[in-house]
Amino acid sequence: MAELVNLTIDGISVRVPKGTLVVDAAKSVGIDIPVFCYHPKLKPVGMCRMCLVDIGTPKIDPATRQVVRDEKGQPVIVFGPKLTTACTTPVSEGMVVRTATEQVRAAREDVLEFLLASHPLDCPICDKGGECPLQNLTMAHGPTVSRFDYDLKFHNDKHVPLGDLIFLDRERCIQCGRCVRFQSEIADDPVLQFHDRGRGMEIVTFSDPPFDSYFGGNTTDICPVGALTTADFRFKARPWELKTTPSLCTHCAVGCNLALNTRLETKTGGYEIKRVMPRQNEQVNEIWICDKGRYVHHFTRAEDRLHYPLIRQDGKLVETTWEQALRIAADRLERPSAILVGDRIANEDAFLIAQFAKAIGAALEQRPALPAHYADVARAVGIGSDADFKQLGAGDVILVVNGDVEEEAPVWFLRLRQAVVDRGAKLIVAHHRSTKMHRYAAAIHRYEVGQAAKWAASQRADWLQGARNVLIVFGDEHLDGSSARALAQTLANWLILGGFAGKPNSGLLPLYPHANTQGVFDMLEHATRPANETTDTLWLVGVGADEPAPRANFIIVQDILLTERAKRADLVLPALSFAEREGTFTSGDRRVQRFYRALPPLGEAKPDWWIVQEIARRFELPWRYEAPAQIFAAIAQQVPRYAELSYERISRVEPQWPPMGREDLYYGGTVYDNTGGLGARYAADAERSALSPYDVHVPEPTLAGLERTPRLLYRDGELIRRSAVLRAHIVAEPLTA
Amino acid sequence: MQNFWEYLTKIPVGLATVFKTLFEKPVTIQYPEEKKPMSPRFRGRHQLKRYEDGLERCIGCALCAAACPADAIYVEAAENTNEERYSPGERYAKVYEINMLRCIFCGYCEDACPTNAIVLEPIEFPTGYTRESLIYTKSMLLEPPPPGVPGTPQQTPPGKYDRAILPFPPIDESV
């Protein structure tokens, strides 16, 4: 526990850890000191001068080094002759801060008058208008009139593209440098910088391609004015028109908490996602999301979304009714059948499918198939149920094996990088090529492509000895199933034999391909049976277009879009996307989280669990679930690991620190506060009982494994193709070694 | 009986009024063929105004929609380019609809407008037989361009129209 310091802010006694800044100490007791350049996630710079306050410290007698006391025994407080910036001053014992004096009020008014001297005041057309810190703080602290002549306002470029995703309005920029500092301190893509001085000062990007970062969208959130806007949301809606729904990102294993902003739209005649914003969850994504999560949402209202069931008649897919589609599906599934399940569907859907497959004796497989080879190992020796990335620091070892964290789980990259760079954890990277993580590595190991498992087996891993915690992040790049399993088992053995298994901040962190890989594995585990040649009917539930599938006489595709796979199907069942329904996902670190319905359903599309239940009813299975909450209650009863979880528990919200809700726009940016629940991790097996080491058999690399190319963030796929702003970023050719 | 005589004497008085008004100018007018002159400040149907050069004043900021107490206005904005410019500045209203059945003609939209683009004019009141016909779209609301001036979109030289909100012209005190 850090040393605590006592101080007084506006007469309120505050007790905060040593090193806390005055602005944060004030925030902890609900006193708002206005800021522009300061952001609690970034290092203070004291550039905007908005946070000026009156700070006094106890007078010290130079001779005795004792605090001088007046006749009443109270310490004599000496205030500085000038105001001090609260964002760069750490607290000290006995400090007295005054934020409500006439001097402070006048200083704030003057700073705002200067900031507005050449600010264009085009709030009516500014995307930030309505959620703008400059607007709000001007209303609260600013002068009512400016002494500057309106006609002398300095004019500047209003449409400067910084890359194709972010636009800069040079007039609106107040040179706080939050974007510059985010890119260099948090994302470590230092592609933005100040150029020139004085009135000519501007933000420039000097990378090629410009603003080359996966995290650029976050700069628009923390920009305290409307200087940075995204190409996606530019002029799309005013902030006060938007409805906000808590949701989850579906594109990688991190499970970032999102807020979906929706609005009525004439084009689609209904609600539409206008923008995707981060939702604060200090345990998962803090307040950051990657650009993929921010911009890929367009598939939810893509033109080829499925509205009605389709059946193949005379070689063509034609619309049909649910009654007929379900009857045909049930008839065909009576023959020898196989069900393939994609890992983007919710836990509730996967659970019902597993129960159904068991009941009718169908084969059942997870797609992509690779993670299912090691998901049980990752779960057994996973990080503790109350692990916190923020506690990783000096004395801890982070090991990244065969995975590209920035590409496969971008927000974990941000968090692990901070543990290493800011808090002094030791990073060891083992990979056959260079990744961004290599920049911070204390030690680098290399091996031949596809030899990760062999490399790991040959190591004695004595570099883990003496560490406080060991977090091992691993991927399945260029590995086949058995090699990936051997790698996971070897890494798990290091943790088990080193005594790290079961410790809260130690464990395996797998880089799964999608949001619910772990959850689908957990649900399907005891019902999985590989498909064989006798398959007559094949039912694909949310399976990607490039996944291999066995041959079958009749193919049922259940999807949200008319994908290439659906176009070749015999029967197409329309499902609802994550934005139109409720459910839960289990992230790569086993955190079960809820997402909520943000959009009305499209046509007659139905949630996956409803479709499965309706087909099951035709097999006389007695299910009468009416909502995912009921199915989750059944999961808690029947899947032992989920026994402690419930919708009530995972919907619980605690106050987050630093507070960044909508009340604190000036402080944290336009991120949304968490109203949908923080989620909860289920316990790793190692936390329940001691594990014995795995018996590892390391196979030779196979061609199938070598063909498993790296999973890049902007890899081609059915969803990213439907996002116009990201289309130019799609990596057509898979990265080969 | 006394009442009867009273009635009898009042009848010619009433009939006198009737015959007198027969020869007076009628008060009713044959709307809509005939129209009554209205005060220039009368808050009738909305009109979206243009500048003298034909560009639309509306910049699609949706402040009218925010101010509207009846939630009658719907705006969708889009971005101007120099090749296809609708209004000065970067933003214009791509969709602008007013549901005349909801509108209460309070004039708050006029007050909220930063460019004086929407004005409730003393022109004919919206009437119609269907609900749909009373949702006025942008083309119905927009005033025609001044004579001899092209409408929108226009092709404009770069840099000429980079400001959305121009200083207001002096207020015409005569109306």
Side-chain angles (χ1 to χ4, degrees):
Chain A
M1 193 67 203
E3 197 186 325
L4 292 174
V5 173
N6 296 292
L7 71 156
T8 315
I9 304 174
D10 287 349
I12 301 173
S13 302
V14 190
R15 216 168 131 80
V16 289
K18 196 179 174 185
T20 307
L21 300 166
V22 171
V23 60
D24 291 331
K27 191 81 193 164
S28 70
V29 288
I31 297 170
D32 289 347
I33 297 176
V35 291
F36 288 115
C37 71
Y38 178 73
H39 190 281
K41 300 279 183 195
L42 302 171
K43 292 192 183 80
V45 285
M47 281 162 73
C48 71
R49 318 310 285 176
M50 190 61 199
C51 63
L52 289 172
V53 289
D54 205 5
I55 294 181
T57 44
K59 187 176 182 182
I60 307 283
D61 188 339
T64 59
R65 309 295 304 158
Q66 292 298 310
V67 175
V68 179
R69 290 176 188 277
D70 59 12
E71 56 271 23
K72 286 181 195 158
Q74 295 294 318
V76 177
I77 304 295
V78 186
F79 283 91
K82 290 180 180 175
L83 301 177
T84 317
T85 48
C87 77
T88 52
T89 313
V91 294
S92 66
E93 189 63 39
M95 182 185 264
V96 175
V97 181
R98 297 191 298 208
T99 74
T101 62
E102 174 55 27
Q103 207 187 356
V104 172
R105 192 200 60 75
R108 289 174 181 171
E109 203 173 284
D110 292 346
V111 168
L112 276 166
E113 194 174 351
F114 276 124
L115 285 177
L116 294 173
S118 271
H119 196 77
L121 301 184
D122 56 359
C123 307
I125 64 156
C126 178
D127 280 331
K128 210 77 165 194
E131 53 176 17
C132 175
L134 182 60
Q135 241 180 359
N136 291 358
L137 294 184
T138 303
M139 296 306 279
H141 307 287
T144 45
V145 287
S146 175
R147 287 168 289 180
F148 292 100
D149 191 345
Y150 185 89
D151 294 330
L152 294 180
K153 273 188 187 284
F154 187 69
H155 290 319
N156 234 328
D157 301 337
K158 294 191 71 69
H159 184 106
V160 184
L162 298 176
D164 59 344
L165 294 172
I166 308 283
F167 290 94
L168 166 69
D169 188 317
R170 285 184 59 198
E171 262 183 7
R172 293 182 193 149
C173 178
I174 59 167
Q175 282 98 32
C176 69
R178 275 185 181 182
C179 52
V180 175
R181 284 178 290 143
F182 169 82
Q183 286 301 129
S184 54
E185 286 174 23
I186 308 272
D188 197 22
D189 291 320
V191 296
L192 295 184
Q193 196 48 270
F194 282 119
H195 174 71
D196 214 343
R197 320 175 154 204
R199 286 199 135 179
M201 192 190 244
E202 61 174 316
I203 304 287
V204 291
T205 174
F206 46 81
S207 63
D208 183 29
F211 209 159
D212 185 20
S213 176
Y214 284 157
F215 305 100
N218 293 305
T219 60
T220 64
D221 292 347
I222 58 174
C223 181
V225 292
L228 296 177
T229 50
T230 66
D232 191 39
F233 182 62
R234 207 172 153 77
F235 303 150
K236 285 287 178 345
R238 306 313 306 268
W240 58 81
E241 301 169 339
L242 298 168
K243 187 171 142 276
T244 307
T245 312
S247 190
L248 295 174
C249 186
T250 63
H251 304 295
C252 82
V254 176
C256 287
N257 289 207
L258 303 180
L260 301 183
N261 280 165
T262 54
R263 194 188 90 147
L264 270 175
E265 205 62 12
T266 47
K267 191 178 76 213
T268 47
Y271 276 90
E272 189 178 300
I273 297 180
K274 302 308 287 182
R275 67 173 177 183
V276 172
M277 296 290 277
R279 173 167 60 108
Q280 188 182 19
N281 188 340
E282 291 296 319
Q283 292 286 308
V284 182
N285 55 324
E286 300 184 48
I287 59 165
W288 316 123
I289 55 172
C290 72
D291 283 359
K292 186 176 187 181
R294 195 181 290 268
Y295 301 127
V296 179
H297 62 86
H298 293 275
F299 69 86
T300 54
R301 282 294 179 267
E303 281 177 4
D304 56 352
R305 273 295 301 274
L306 294 167
H307 291 234
Y308 299 96
L310 304 174
I311 181 113
R312 190 166 295 281
Q313 273 174 9
D314 309 324
K316 270 189 187 158
L317 284 173
V318 291
E319 278 179 18
T320 180
T321 61
W322 269 114
E323 187 54 45
Q324 200 190 354
L326 292 169
R327 190 176 46 75
I328 293 169
D331 286 350
R332 297 298 309 207
L333 286 166
E334 275 179 11
R335 307 183 191 189
S337 46
I339 309 175
L340 302 191
V341 181
D343 54 4
R344 286 174 193 269
I345 65 168
N347 287 328
E348 290 77 4
D349 312 330
F351 173 75
L352 283 195
I353 292 171
Q355 304 295 307
F356 176 70
K358 237 197 284 189
I360 68 163
L364 181 67
E365 284 184 52
Q366 180 173 353
R367 284 288 185 275
L370 189 55
H373 287 94
Y374 57 82
D376 60 323
V377 184
R379 181 180 64 191
V381 201
I383 57 173
S385 42
D386 41 5
D388 186 354
F389 289 119
K390 277 194 179 154
Q391 288 166 10
L392 289 172
D396 298 333
V397 172
I398 298 172
L399 178 61
V400 179
V401 184
N402 203 41
D404 192 337
V405 187
E406 200 205 17
E407 297 283 352
E408 297 183 74
V411 171
W412 279 349
F413 165 79
L414 298 183
R415 308 210 60 177
L416 296 178
R417 184 195 160 272
Q418 279 184 328
V420 175
V421 177
D422 296 347
R423 297 193 294 273
K426 186 181 175 193
L427 175 69
I428 301 167
V429 181
H431 209 289
H432 58 80
R433 63 179 167 91
S434 273
T435 68
K436 198 165 160 190
M437 266 296 183
H438 280 72
R439 292 183 196 174
Y440 326 107
I444 293 172
H445 296 262
R446 274 190 192 274
Y447 44 79
E448 293 286 302
V449 178
Q451 305 270 16
K454 282 192 132 179
W455 168 83
S458 69
Q459 297 293 312
R460 285 178 48 233
D462 40 8
W463 5 272
L464 303 181
Q465 276 168 19
R468 199 174 55 167
N469 289 297
V470 176
L471 178 70
I472 305 184
V473 189
F474 70 102
D476 51 17
E477 212 170 287
H478 292 300
L479 296 180
D480 63 4
S482 40
S483 296
R485 183 169 181 79
L487 173 65
Q489 286 178 331
T490 312
L491 302 176
N493 282 355
W494 292 354
L495 293 169
I496 294 167
L497 297 170
F500 297 108
K503 286 178 78 174
N505 285 315
S506 297
L508 292 179
L509 198 56
L511 296 170
Y512 289 134
H514 295 128
N516 203 25
T517 311
Q518 183 70 57
V520 170
F521 176 81
D522 293 342
M523 298 301 136
L524 261 49
E525 196 177 6
H526 296 297
T528 302
R529 184 168 68 75
N532 53 28
E533 284 81 51
T534 60
T535 303
D536 180 76
T537 306
L538 182 63
W539 183 13
L540 302 158
V541 185
V543 176
D546 49 350
E547 293 296 331
R551 294 183 67 84
N553 298 328
F554 192 85
I555 296 176
I556 308 171
V557 168
Q558 182 171 325
D559 214 318
I560 61 169
L561 295 159
L562 190 65
T563 59
E564 291 305 316
R565 175 152 264 158
K567 284 178 191 164
R568 297 196 301 270
D570 298 294
L571 179 66
V572 180
L573 303 176
L576 290 181
S577 78
F578 79 109
E580 290 136 12
R581 48 163 295 183
E582 271 197 293
T584 58
F585 287 145
T586 306
S587 70
D589 57 339
R590 309 186 324 283
R591 180 177 289 275
V592 184
Q593 304 184 98
R594 272 184 83 176
F595 58 93
Y596 298 78
R597 187 182 125 149
L599 297 173
L602 270 186
E604 285 185 10
K606 296 284 183 189
D608 294 281
W609 60 265
W610 183 92
I611 303 172
V612 179
Q613 172 168 285
E614 287 301 313
I615 293 176
R617 276 158 82 151
R618 284 157 176 80
F619 284 85
E620 282 162 14
L621 289 172
W623 294 342
R624 289 288 183 278
Y625 296 115
E626 278 166 21
Q630 293 173 320
I631 307 175
F632 197 85
I635 293 174
Q637 278 177 4
Q638 294 181 40
V639 183
R641 288 187 176 81
Y642 287 69
E644 295 151 18
L645 301 174
S646 64
Y647 264 35
E648 190 271 327
R649 182 168 166 212
I650 62 178
S651 313
R652 236 175 267 167
V653 179
E654 287 162 21
Q656 302 283 293
W657 180 263
M660 299 211 193
R662 301 303 280 182
E663 303 290 308
D664 311 288
L665 281 173
Y666 78 95
Y667 190 64
T670 48
V671 57
Y672 281 83
D673 36 356
N674 202 322
T675 54
L678 301 174
R681 275 199 201 103
Y682 65 79
D685 301 354
E687 286 179 272
R688 298 171 198 266
S689 58
L691 299 177
S692 48
Y694 291 93
D695 189 10
V696 188
H697 163 70
V698 181
E700 284 299 314
T702 60
L703 191 61
L706 289 170
E707 280 172 353
R708 234 293 287 136
T709 48
R711 211 178 278 125
L712 301 178
L713 188 67
Y714 292 148
R715 60 186 181 275
D716 198 6
E718 293 277 358
L719 303 187
I720 196 170
R721 251 178 254 164
R722 284 164 176 83
S723 169
V725 286
L726 277 187
R727 209 168 286 146
H729 294 257
I730 295 176
V731 189
E733 288 288 308
L735 185 68
T736 47
Chain B
M1 207 58 190
Q2 201 184 349
N3 277 349
F4 174 76
W5 288 113
E6 245 182 73
Y7 284 137
L8 214 61
T9 52
K10 289 282 160 60
I11 286 169
V13 177
L15 281 173
T17 309
V18 170
F19 284 108
K20 197 174 82 192
T21 47
L22 260 179
F23 302 102
E24 275 178 5
K25 202 174 167 242
V27 177
T28 46
I29 56 163
Q30 295 302 311
Y31 188 85
E33 287 82 24
E34 244 179 276
K35 277 169 196 160
K36 215 179 144 188
M38 278 187 273
S39 156
R41 307 185 96 167
F42 181 78
R43 295 198 302 262
R45 174 163 89 63
H46 318 66
Q47 200 170 42
L48 287 172
K49 296 291 181 185
R50 291 181 190 264
Y51 291 103
E52 292 77 26
D53 54 9
L55 286 182
E56 296 159 18
R57 280 182 169 265
C58 178
I59 51 173
C61 70
L63 288 177
C64 46
C68 183
D71 202 5
I73 307 182
Y74 176 83
V75 184
E76 263 175 49
E79 192 158 359
N80 278 316
T81 57
N82 283 317
E83 289 70 44
E84 229 174 89
R85 177 170 296 283
Y86 292 83
S87 64
E90 297 162 276
R91 184 176 179 137
Y92 75 97
K94 189 177 68 180
V95 177
Y96 194 104
E97 290 175 358
I98 301 181
N99 187 339
M100 293 297 174
L101 290 171
R102 280 191 176 189
C103 179
I104 58 167
F105 302 93
C106 65
Y108 281 14
C109 47
E110 287 180 299
D111 290 355
C113 185
T115 59
N116 281 354
I118 188 164
V119 180
L120 294 169
E121 288 286 10
I123 45 181
E124 83 275 24
F125 238 66
T127 48
Y129 289 104
T130 61
R131 286 168 189 277
E132 289 76 22
S133 69
L134 284 160
I135 297 173
Y136 275 40
T137 57
K138 191 181 162 193
S139 55
M140 298 156 85
L141 293 165
L142 202 59
E143 75 168 354
V149 171
T152 42
Q154 296 181 4
Q155 197 173 359
T156 56
K160 189 177 173 193
Y161 292 107
D162 56 357
R163 235 122 284 276
I165 300 162
L166 310 168
F168 284 161
I171 294 166
D172 184 3
E173 294 289 345
S174 65
V175 288

